[in-house]
Amino acid sequence: MNFDFTEDHILIQQSAKEFAQEVIAPSAVERDINAEFPAEIVKQLGALGFMGMMVSPDYGGAGLDTISYVIAMIEISKVDASVGVIMSVNNSLVCYGLEKYGTDYIKQNYLIPLAKGEKLGAFCLSEPEAGSDATNQRTTADKKDNYYFLNGMKNWITNGKNADYYLIMATTDKSKGHKGISTFLVEKGFEGFGQGKKEDKLGIRSSDTCSLTFENCKVPVENLIWEEGKGFNFAMNTLNGGRIGIAAQAIGIAEASFEAAVKYSKERKAFGSPIANLQAIQFKLSDMAIKVDCAKMLTFKSAALKDAGKPYYAEAAMAKLYSSKVAVENALDAIQVHGGYGYVREYLVERYLRDAKITEIYEGTSEIQKLVIARSLLDAK
């Protein structure tokens, strides 16, 4: 395996890093405190091609590989994981699914503006009684003439307040179980579409999250994605790629925590010299560095398999599981290295911990990732 980045990869990394430092970083703390959505930053990300990185240029995208996407996600998330998840959802969960399974009508009318960053998307699978058990969809879609009428509720929707287009999983035939679930593209302005209050979250506070309601929401038949009964497959196939994005987000947090700990350990003095000279601190920094590199290897492997057109769902689950664990552990260690200063907003590491925890929960909890991995191992025997 070649571990070297191409020249294009290096340019993407530099571009993402510069944008993150110069444009995202100055407002990150204030947006976190005020739970303010980074609308202007998202527009600029779109103009730079970061909102539809893997989409073909035929549909307004940058036409880049998954490795490029991972590289950019890491650099963006190192500075602000909230911006990272907004970018991840639009790329992995929305644009990917529409390009792979959407009709030409869907691609021309919805994918192009999403890939260009002119519009923002959201992925809507979770419900009050359907979290990890995604087969238990209570939202229904009944067809009448040239429309489907959606009724139900979706929970924990990232970009829920600020998205323009929403991918909704709903039951079209309850008798068929998960094979009776279908996917629909709903516009914010559709009749019967509603939004709940914005959630007041522990972390990734600059990313908005809310519930959605559907009361006889009128959706044209042309906005069915793939075909009836394929909604569960659509969701699972899309989430496989989404887990690579969240793994990259988690790596960004983990690496930021490590770099903050190294910097502080060189500046903070105790017993007459920098605490970086203490073996206890050195061991902690060594463990943090190893974890970041291991997480990167798992994530880049899953990205490379996806780019090669090979099965990658187990590897993506491994990457997401391990990277999210590392994000939390490195953030905790960074706080420990900082001592009391790590517990206050003046230093960024407390935000890294608050942002890290959600990576173990959304787009499949750590427990679900273990089930995915175990099933792949058992099926292989």
Side-chain angles (χ1 to χ4, degrees), residues 108-283:
Q108 293 296 330
N109 289 277
Y110 295 106
L111 177 58
I112 289 176
L114 285 163
K116 288 182 175 180
E118 297 169 352
K119 299 291 185 180
L120 184 64
F123 181 88
C124 311
L125 179 64
S126 295
E127 296 183 359
E129 296 184 42
S132 293
D133 181 11
T135 63
N136 189 30
Q137 295 292 304
R138 301 294 180 89
T139 299
T140 60
D142 297 310
K143 188 177 180 181
K144 185 177 180 180
D145 298 326
N146 294 322
Y147 293 92
Y148 286 91
F149 291 87
L150 273 59
N151 286 279
M153 174 181 282
K154 294 295 178 178
N155 266 18
W156 316 119
I157 305 305
T158 302
N159 300 341
K161 282 289 188 183
N162 288 277
D164 302 284
Y165 307 143
Y166 300 80
L167 291 178
I168 313 296
M169 269 50 74
T171 297
T172 45
D173 188 340
K174 191 173 182 179
S175 68
K176 294 182 179 179
H178 74 277
K179 293 183 179 180
I181 298 171
S182 305
T183 302
F184 303 89
L185 194 151
V186 173
E187 294 184 29
K188 180 179 284 183
F190 279 178
E191 178 185 336
F193 171 82
Q195 297 167 299
K197 69 177 182 65
K198 185 172 71 172
E199 301 291 350
D200 188 9
K201 306 192 298 283
L202 171 71
I204 58 166
R205 289 172 53 79
S206 187
S207 161
D208 67 298
T209 304
C210 74
S211 60
L212 304 175
T213 59
F214 306 91
E215 297 182 12
N216 286 323
C217 182
K218 194 174 180 181
V219 183
V221 293
E222 293 83 5
N223 285 32
L224 172 70
I225 307 300
W226 203 352
E227 60 186 65
E228 278 197 16
K230 294 291 188 179
F232 184 77
N233 300 81
F234 174 90
M236 295 303 104
N237 293 347
T238 304
L239 282 169
N240 287 333
R243 286 164 184 159
I244 296 175
I246 298 305
Q249 180 199 26
I251 291 168
I253 299 169
E255 192 162 41
S257 299
F258 165 69
E259 291 178 359
V262 169
K263 182 176 183 292
Y264 184 81
S265 71
K266 291 179 178 180
E267 297 169 350
R268 174 69 170 175
K269 291 186 177 180
F271 311 107
S273 67
I275 62 172
N277 293 333
L278 299 173
Q279 189 179 67
I281 300 298
Q282 292 176 355
F283 282 5

